[in-house]
């Protein structure tokens, strides 16, 4: 089992820069190439990027079950909610973003640190990259 958090542009109403079902499918295909497999199921919220016909088709063709959280019940998705809190506390609240490019660089730096250097108690105090290597899984580096 592995957890992938894809936190997408929430509440943007489809404006430029927001991701849709096609974008989510491309990200998941890239993850499958890096990891060598797809999960049997993916837990998602009810955002338009996850309820799209395109993502539904993608999941059906790859035999991946989309497991939707109940609307208004984020506690049903505790792992992702905890991860979102860490992103907010350790990355977003700790940085001042001067431009979109600056934000992309700082968030990518945090992501690399989170996956390659930062230890996680749920992984036996290993960084995700170390855990993946020790279990024979592909790299998490992007």
């Amino acid at each position: 089992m592995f957890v992938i958090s894809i936190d997408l542009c929430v509440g943007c109403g489809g404006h430029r820069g927001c991701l849709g079902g096609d974008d989510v499918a491309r990200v998941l295909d890239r993850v499958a190439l890096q990891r060598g497999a797809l999960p049997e199921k993916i837990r998602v919220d009810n955002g338009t990027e996850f309820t799209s016909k395109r993502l539904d088709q993608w999941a059906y063709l790859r035999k991946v079950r989309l497991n939707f959280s109940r609307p208004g019940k984020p506690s049903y998705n505790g792992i992702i909610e905890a991860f979102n809190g860490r992103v907010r506390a350790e990355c977003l609240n700790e940085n001042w973003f001067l431009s979109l490019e600056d934000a992309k660089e700082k968030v990518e730096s945090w992501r690399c640190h989170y996956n390659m250097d930062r230890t996680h108690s749920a992984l036996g105090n290993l960084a995700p990259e170390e855990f993946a290597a020790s279990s024979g899984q592909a790299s998490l580096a992007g």
Side-chain angles (χ1 to χ4, degrees):
M1 181 181 110
F2 57 91
V3 174
I4 302 167
S5 176
I6 305 173
D7 195 9
L8 302 172
C9 193
V10 176
C12 63
H15 294 97
R16 185 173 174 263
C18 295
L19 301 178
D22 286 327
D23 301 304
V24 175
R26 277 193 293 278
V27 168
L28 292 170
D29 280 336
R30 191 177 74 223
V31 168
L33 284 173
Q34 291 173 341
R35 301 298 300 241
L38 283 168
E40 292 177 19
K41 64 182 176 181
I42 300 173
R43 180 175 292 206
V44 296
D45 65 21
N46 290 284
T48 56
E49 66 277 12
F50 298 120
T51 58
S52 71
K53 289 179 182 177
R54 174 62 184 103
L55 187 62
D56 187 51
Q57 178 188 36
W58 175 92
Y60 176 79
L61 293 173
R62 287 157 182 80
K63 297 178 175 52
V64 173
R65 192 173 90 230
L66 297 178
N67 185 5
F68 291 92
S69 61
R70 288 180 46 203
K73 300 288 184 187
S75 60
Y76 285 8
N77 204 359
I79 293 170
I80 299 305
E81 293 302 317
F83 174 76
N84 288 345
R86 279 190 282 288
V87 172
R88 199 171 298 110
E90 298 173 13
C91 180
L92 301 179
N93 292 347
E94 293 295 316
N95 289 288
W96 185 267
F97 303 113
L98 303 174
S99 67
L100 181 57
E101 198 56 42
D102 182 48
K104 287 178 181 179
E105 289 174 15
K106 288 175 179 171
V107 169
E108 178 62 11
S109 175
W110 180 86
R111 185 192 70 81
C112 289
H113 169 72
Y114 185 87
N115 285 324
M116 291 181 249
D117 302 320
R118 186 181 182 276
T119 60
H120 300 257
S121 60
L123 302 177
N125 292 316
L126 296 173
E129 182 78 10
E130 291 175 287
F131 181 80
S134 70
S135 64
Q137 296 178 10
S139 173
L140 297 170

